[in-house]
Amino acid sequence: MIGGWETDKVKELGKRKKLLDFSTASLARELTMQEWEIFKRIAPREFLNQAWQRENKAIIAPNIIRMIGRFNQISYWVATEVLTKPDRKTPVKIIKKFIKTAYICYHMSNFNSMMEILSGLNNISISRLKARLSPL
């Protein structure tokens, strides 16, 4: 049998946290740590002759390909977080959070995450929400 405090821990772990539950600093820090794990694996030879654009790119530039995939994944996630909110106020709060997070990433010299966020916010679908997001 699980004790009372352990049951509470299991219930707590089962709850999904929402983006707005995290501080912008912790979000920027986590993005930075994840980026670093990919970035530190990139070998200088992967940059030679634009290896990431070759037919055998997965073999000769696997970490650059991983970094490009991550960029696209985070950009898509940013856009999805904004676009999937049914009310009017939450997308505005999320956009503000992402702008603040990008600003922190900039000051942490994590320019890749900053650009991932900005790319997601510049998604054409978000641009179409101008009227809906006018309070921003």
Side-chain angles (χ1 to χ4, degrees):
M1 185 173 142
I2 298 177
W5 67 273
E6 290 173 336
T7 305
D8 292 340
K9 273 283 200 211
V10 170
K11 286 180 184 176
E12 184 180 320
L13 289 173
K15 294 178 185 175
R16 287 193 78 177
K17 290 208 171 204
K18 296 178 183 166
L19 177 66
L20 294 174
D21 294 338
F22 295 96
S23 72
T24 52
S26 65
L27 187 57
R29 197 170 32 254
E30 187 63 32
L31 287 169
T32 301
M33 289 188 302
Q34 290 176 9
E35 293 288 324
W36 173 246
E37 288 303 315
I38 299 170
F39 181 75
K40 72 180 182 180
R41 289 185 172 93
I42 298 175
R45 65 175 163 65
E46 293 185 49
F47 291 102
L48 296 176
N49 301 317
Q50 297 181 344
W52 65 91
Q53 294 183 348
R54 306 257 181 221
E55 203 169 299
N56 58 345
K57 60 187 169 196
I59 296 168
I60 60 176
N63 297 304
I64 291 179
I65 297 303
R66 194 171 293 122
M67 192 70 124
I68 292 168
R70 163 115 177 138
F71 187 99
N72 294 334
Q73 180 185 28
I74 296 299
S75 295
Y76 179 77
W77 170 68
V78 168
T80 302
E81 283 295 317
V82 174
L83 294 170
T84 57
K85 305 308 176 219
D87 63 341
R88 184 178 174 167
K89 291 182 181 178
T90 307
V92 173
K93 289 178 184 176
I94 289 174
I95 288 172
K96 287 180 180 181
K97 179 174 267 316
F98 277 129
I99 291 170
K100 289 175 185 175
T101 303
Y103 181 77
I104 293 170
C105 286
Y106 172 80
H107 285 286
M108 295 174 77
S109 297
N110 182 358
F111 305 114
N112 197 59
S113 288
M114 178 193 74
M115 290 306 297
E116 291 167 349
I117 293 168
L118 295 178
S119 175
L121 292 176
N122 283 322
N123 182 295
I124 189 69
S125 298
I126 292 177
S127 299
R128 291 181 188 147
L129 291 177
K130 251 184 184 174
R132 182 176 157 199
L133 302 177
S134 60
L136 182 64

